[in-house]
Amino acid sequence: MNPTKLLLAAALALLCALPPAVHAVDEAASTGRLVRTVHFRHEMIELDPSGAAVLDMLADDYARAQPAHVVVVGYAAPDEGRMRAGAAYAQGISERRAGSVRNYLYRHGVPLSRIQVRGRGLAIPAEGGENPSRRSVEIFFE
């Protein structure tokens, strides 16, 4: 097997080994302090370079503050999945976005036992309600 395929297989195995996102649609986003927000492109769950930079800063914040919990809350915009399944699709994409952030934080030193993941679907994020900002993940320290 070539090195690229081996690397991809190893990355996939790591992602599959991580626990699934927690489904907590009816819960409040968090009672903690909003630390950072990561934005995503329309219907995307992959982090772009600016999102990775935000999470790098957050990993540094975590190392300094050592909070008891890091709460990762994903959101979707109303126009995402309109042609697919509406609210169910939005819930899924919000959970997958939060999972992407969780995985990144884990790979950068935040223990999985300290990360709580929530998908809020079409709920309005703490930072505002404009559609582009809804394509986001908010990260709180508790």
Side-chain angles (χ1 to χ4, degrees), residues 99-116:
S100 291
V101 169
R102 175 206 51 211
N103 295 347
Y104 190 94
L105 292 175
Y106 170 70
R107 289 190 310 269
H108 289 84
V110 180
L112 283 177
S113 62
R114 298 248 179 131
I115 304 173
Q116 298 176 2

Side-chain angles (χ1 to χ4, degrees), residues 34-57:
L34 178 62
V35 180
R36 305 270 181 197
T37 301
V38 176
H39 296 278
F40 290 80
R41 292 190 324 264
H42 181 72
E43 296 198 12
M44 299 300 288
I45 63 169
E46 295 83 16
L47 290 164
D48 61 18
S50 65
V54 168
L55 293 180
D56 288 340
M57 289 186 286

Side-chain angles (χ1 to χ4, degrees), residues 17 40 52 55 57-59 61 64 69-70 78 82 85 87 93 99-101 109 114 118 122 137 139:
F40 290 80
L55 293 180
M57 289 186 286
L58 185 117
D61 295 343
R64 281 191 299 281
H69 295 101
V70 177
R82 198 176 327 159
I93 200 168
S100 291
V101 169
R114 298 248 179 131
R118 300 176 182 156
L122 295 172
V137 170
I139 303 102

Side-chain angles (χ1 to χ4, degrees), residues 78 80-91 122:
E80 293 182 298
R82 198 176 327 159
M83 303 306 283
R84 294 197 175 98
Y89 179 82
Q91 178 62 33
L122 295 172

Side-chain angles (χ1 to χ4, degrees), residues 6-32:
L6 281 173
L7 183 61
L8 289 173
L12 182 60
L14 175 64
L15 289 175
C16 291
L18 294 176
V22 174
H23 301 246
V25 180
D26 296 328
E27 258 179 74
S30 176
T31 57

